[in-house]
Amino acid sequence: MSSRFLQQPLPATQYPFFAGMHGAGMDPYSSFDNYMSQGIPAMPGGMLATNTATPAHQQCPPCSAAYTLGHNCHHQQQQQHQQQQQHYQRQNHQLNLQHHQHQYQWPSGPSIAGNQWDAYPQQEATCQRLPQAADAGFELGASVEVWSNSSQQWCQGRIERILSANMVTASFVGLNGVVMHKQISVSHGMRGEIRLPQRNQSCERPMLAMEVVVDSECDVFFPIVKQKKVFKISRRACHGDDLPLSIEEHCSSAVNSGRFQKNPRASEVANTIVQTAMLMATSVAEEFSDCYDREWQPQYNPLAQLFNATDSQTVATKFVELSQEVGRILAAQPSLNEVSVPAKIYGDIHGHFRDMLLLLHSYGFPNASASRSMFGSNKTFNLIFNGDWCDRGAHQLEVVALVLALKAVYPNQVFLNRGNHEDPHQNQHMKSVGFLAQCRHRLGEALGNNVFHQIHRTFEFLPLGTLIDNMILVVHGGIGDGLWDLDLLRHYRRPASMDEIQQDPALYNILWSDPIPDKDADPDEIFGVHDSPRDGHQHMIITFGKDCTDAFCERNNLEMIVRSHQAFRRGCGYEVMHGGRCMRVFSARDYESMGNDGAVLSVEAGKRKAGMPHHLVVRPQVVS
């Protein structure tokens, strides 16, 4: 018996039973049970398998040296090193300028409808007219009208640059005479944000500019002072000058505390974990001092407390039962989660259990705390966990246990997306900080191996995406080249191993791809599809530009992509890019000692007004 499991569990608290839960405790799903009956496989040996195919040979023009795909000669290595140094110099210069400025305060500058944006510098027109843009009448220097999301009106402007066949840069005069620049797709026709001046033209807002807007405010909880404050969203997290920000209406930050309501259709293990986590979250929020998850040393063993156990054998047995319970629920639900608002989206947690508890305490547990909607009624919300719950963090087993327990207790309110770290090969590749190593360290080798493989059998039934109100698609990584539609996710066959996912480039990039940022990037590289350094430029993982995001959203009738997958030094936990059509959320604080905040995104329906379509408002909620 391990000494780490000898602590006494938290005192039990009596709560009223809840008999009105529906949709949980469904009958065993035959395919899942058949799959589980195959037995636990033997431990795979070695590291992540490598491709044994002979790579194609190429030749370096400067030195005529032959090299293989993914391995550069010294000329190309030197060129890449210079490009990286220039990027790091630009990044460090920006960070130094903002070092003494609070990241949630807006910088001084010209005020535009409540937003304080710096005027974008004039750009010299360097591209020639392209056929597609010309066919639409958008020639270099042509007079146009541009929709301003800040002032919510059409503004006079002109075409400054033609970036590609369907992307242009237009300048226009905003409020107070400030000249703004905006990159716009010209392929949206009458629904777009740019048009040619005409007599008696409607002054109504374009549909594309209104379906989903980002709240211009955010909530920030400071654990060290135990206070929650409202700030303007961080300008460092906003890419571009004319994002669709909601100035007049905001999501409510009110969270009404509630008692745990047991689900009689869920297992006792799942109910106990959720109830205990609520007590632990309150305790963590009231701790005298704040600390990061890796520094957290509570007087009790969190894993033992969650399972109400004193030995590793009991924990392992209950973990397997919980995993099988959730596997049956996932197998019986669709391959694409489709949910309504209000909803909250969690990003990468990576074993940061204390941060997860702080976020749940500050912004609500499902069903136990009700978020007040814009219409003034108390309404429970859906909760979306967007993958990457394990690897690197100190409390990976606790995070996975709570995520699974929440799904078991609230099967129709909690929705899970698979991330690139819900992969046994990746967990092995992380070695000592990986999920496999922590299972063995915390539970012993034999029990740890059993729990590890059982959890991954459940992970193979995880969906790859969640659709919110048919407007927002939530995926872990990105859209890749974007040349696919939502039926790919709807017809995604499960169970699916990561080896099987890797055979489909579209599915693989949903887990691994990244968007190209709008700022601090080469203007010639911010459009289209490019190789990603994540796989050593071996053409499997890609990055995608704003034009790919626009085209994908237009083809699938979407308004926004929400993704996770990336943390940045001193980051805010969220990011708005690609003209407001792509947002990032990351929930683990100080990930890899980056000093970043953790955040969730709250999505609510906007107020209905005459002549205004149904729209959603997305509000960042942060733990600093």
Side-chain angles (χ1 to χ4, degrees), residues 17 31 90 112 115 191 205 242 316 328 332 340 374 393 449 475 543 596 601 619:
F17 285 77
S31 66
R90 291 195 302 268
I112 304 180
N115 294 318
R191 298 183 67 236
R205 69 186 76 235
D242 200 43
R328 287 189 288 269
S340 59
M374 286 184 171
N449 289 343
V475 292
T543 60
N596 61 285
L601 298 180
R619 182 186 184 96

Side-chain angles (χ1 to χ4, degrees), residues 30 54 63 86 150 158 160 234-235 241 250 259 269 278 315 333 357 375 408 411 418-419 473 475 497 505 567 580 582:
S30 58
T54 304
C63 63
Q86 293 174 359
S150 299
R158 71 171 188 171
E160 298 289 347
S234 172
R235 188 177 185 276
D241 300 300
H250 307 283
R259 297 185 303 175
V269 173
M278 291 183 64
V315 171
Q333 292 182 339
L357 293 177
F375 303 106
R418 191 173 188 173
L473 178 65
V475 292
S497 68
C582 182

Side-chain angles (χ1 to χ4, degrees), residues 249-481:
E249 60 179 347
H250 307 283
C251 293
S252 174
S253 60
V255 175
N256 297 335
S257 299
R259 297 185 303 175
F260 173 71
Q261 296 174 322
K262 185 175 181 179
N263 177 10
R265 295 191 175 185
S267 67
E268 188 64 29
V269 173
N271 278 298
T272 299
I273 290 174
V274 174
Q275 178 181 356
T276 305
M278 291 183 64
L279 295 172
M280 294 171 67
T282 302
S283 175
V284 166
E286 295 175 352
E287 288 180 354
F288 179 75
S289 60
D290 185 35
C291 65
Y292 291 127
D293 184 83
R294 67 176 181 275
E295 304 162 345
W296 186 40
Q297 296 181 345
Q299 298 300 315
Y300 53 89
N301 185 324
L303 185 62
Q305 298 290 359
L306 289 176
F307 286 95
N308 192 23
T310 57
D311 62 276
S312 56
Q313 177 68 58
T314 303
V315 171
T317 300
K318 291 184 176 181
F319 222 139
V320 169
E321 294 174 359
L322 174 64
S323 181
Q324 292 176 342
E325 178 183 8
V326 174
R328 287 189 288 269
I329 295 173
L330 293 173
Q333 292 182 339
S335 295
L336 174 63
N337 298 316
E338 298 192 41
V339 307
S340 59
V341 293
K344 293 184 186 291
I345 308 168
Y346 278 69
D348 297 38
I349 302 177
H350 282 296
H352 287 222
F353 186 56
R354 189 176 188 273
D355 298 334
M356 183 182 183
L357 293 177
L358 285 172
L359 286 165
L360 286 167
H361 176 81
S362 303
Y363 303 115
F365 277 81
N367 202 45
S369 298
S371 176
R372 184 175 296 276
S373 71
M374 286 184 171
F375 303 106
S377 61
N378 289 334
K379 190 175 182 180
T380 187
F381 54 83
N382 293 309
L383 198 59
I384 302 164
F385 289 101
N386 199 24
D388 276 18
W389 309 309
C390 50
D391 286 342
R392 293 195 175 97
H395 300 93
Q396 301 172 38
L397 284 168
E398 288 88 344
V399 169
V400 173
L402 182 53
V403 168
L404 295 180
L406 287 169
K407 178 63 180 176
V409 176
Y410 310 113
N412 297 319
Q413 291 176 247
V414 174
F415 299 89
L416 311 182
N417 286 350
R418 191 173 188 173
N420 63 303
H421 281 266
E422 279 69 62
D423 172 14
H425 299 306
Q426 187 71 16
N427 300 154
Q428 285 181 275
H429 181 72
M430 300 304 298
K431 297 184 179 178
S432 62
V433 297
F435 187 46
L436 175 60
Q438 184 158 123
C439 287
R440 290 173 171 175
H441 174 71
R442 303 285 298 277
L443 303 174
E445 184 167 355
L447 294 175
N449 289 343
N450 186 33
V451 169
F452 177 80
H453 286 293
Q454 178 60 64
I455 290 173
H456 275 289
R457 285 177 172 270
T458 297
F459 283 171
E460 292 183 354
F461 282 88
L462 287 169
L464 298 185
T466 299
L467 185 62
I468 304 177
D469 260 20
N470 293 314
M471 294 187 190
I472 300 176
L473 178 65
V474 183
V475 292
H476 178 75
I479 59 172
D481 59 15

Side-chain angles (χ1 to χ4, degrees), residues 33 61 73 80 218 236 291 320 345 356 390 427 524 578 600:
D33 288 338
C73 70
Q80 290 181 357
C218 67
R236 291 198 294 115
C291 65
V320 169
I345 308 168
M356 183 182 183
C390 50
N427 300 154
D524 296 329
H578 290 186
V600 299

